[in-house]
Amino acid sequence: LRLLLIHAKRFSYKAREPAVKEPESLSEASATGDFENALVVFSTVEQGDDESVAERAASEIYETASNLKPSTVVVYPYAHLSSELAPPTVAMDVLRKFADKLRERGLRVERAPFGWYKEFVLECYGHPLSELSKTIRK
Ligand SMILES: Nc1ncnc2c1ncn2[C@@H]1O[C@H](CO)[C@@H](NC(=O)[C@@H](N)CO)[C@H]1O
């Protein structure tokens, strides 16, 4: 998993059009979202990533969230942080598990819909820990 974390004063997104053959249904993950004080986690699933990687990633994000105290953690599927992408079916599953493991740790988590092009507005706080990147691999 390649993660880009932005602590955002404001983050909003809107799904525009499908980007893969079978995009996630918009009843599962909401088509739009609008958040204040969010930890946005742009998440790229790489080849070889599995549930154990999602587990370790959830622990790392929990630690960061404990320091930053965001109101919401937004898991945002993002296919642009690696050149070794996992296929969509695997990526969808790993991201669902990642979000669920964050919820198990007591965090409020929203997950943006998988397989869509989305518009977004991102306002970064700019404090020293407001931009972080993490790579979690097997
Ligand atoms: N390995 C992977 N890791 C994370 N997300 C992945 C993925 N493979 C496919 N996706 C999803 O499908 C859209 C098109 O690639 C992706 N959409 C996006 O990345 C939007 N932000 C628009 O660019 C994403 O939802």
Side-chain angles (χ1 to χ4, degrees):
L1 272 164
R2 297 291 304 267
L3 306 176
L4 172 64
L5 285 64
I6 304 290
H7 189 196
K9 191 174 185 182
R10 171 99 191 276
F11 176 66
S12 62
Y13 73 83
K14 192 187 295 178
R16 294 292 298 271
E17 53 189 281
V20 295
K21 267 201 308 293
E22 292 174 20
E24 182 175 20
S25 85
L26 295 180
S27 54
E28 300 230 323
S30 30
T32 65
D34 191 348
F35 309 98
E36 288 185 2
N37 181 21
L39 179 60
V40 187
V41 185
F42 293 91
S43 308
T44 301
V45 184
E46 296 188 295
Q47 287 164 16
D49 287 349
D50 60 9
E51 178 153 6
S52 69
V53 172
E55 180 66 38
R56 277 189 290 125
S59 296
E60 292 218 15
I61 296 305
Y62 177 72
E63 213 175 303
T64 303
S66 303
N67 295 332
L68 298 176
K69 298 185 179 31
S71 64
T72 313
V73 176
V74 183
V75 174
Y76 193 85
Y78 201 69
H80 310 285
L81 301 177
S82 169
S83 51
E84 282 94 41
L85 293 183
T89 47
V90 173
M92 173 80 244
D93 183 52
V94 169
L95 289 174
R96 275 204 177 117
K97 288 187 164 81
F98 178 39
D100 289 344
K101 289 170 184 299
L102 288 168
R103 292 186 182 104
E104 282 166 16
R105 286 162 169 80
L107 293 168
R108 179 161 170 252
V109 179
E110 294 290 333
R111 189 170 52 75
F114 184 96
W116 291 82
Y117 292 115
K118 297 181 282 301
E119 65 181 70
F120 66 81
V121 173
L122 176 62
E123 195 181 331
C124 174
Y125 277 114
H127 62 71
L129 289 177
S130 60
E131 298 168 286
L132 299 164
S133 64
K134 293 179 180 296
T135 300
I136 297 102
R137 286 190 171 133
K138 262 211 90 88

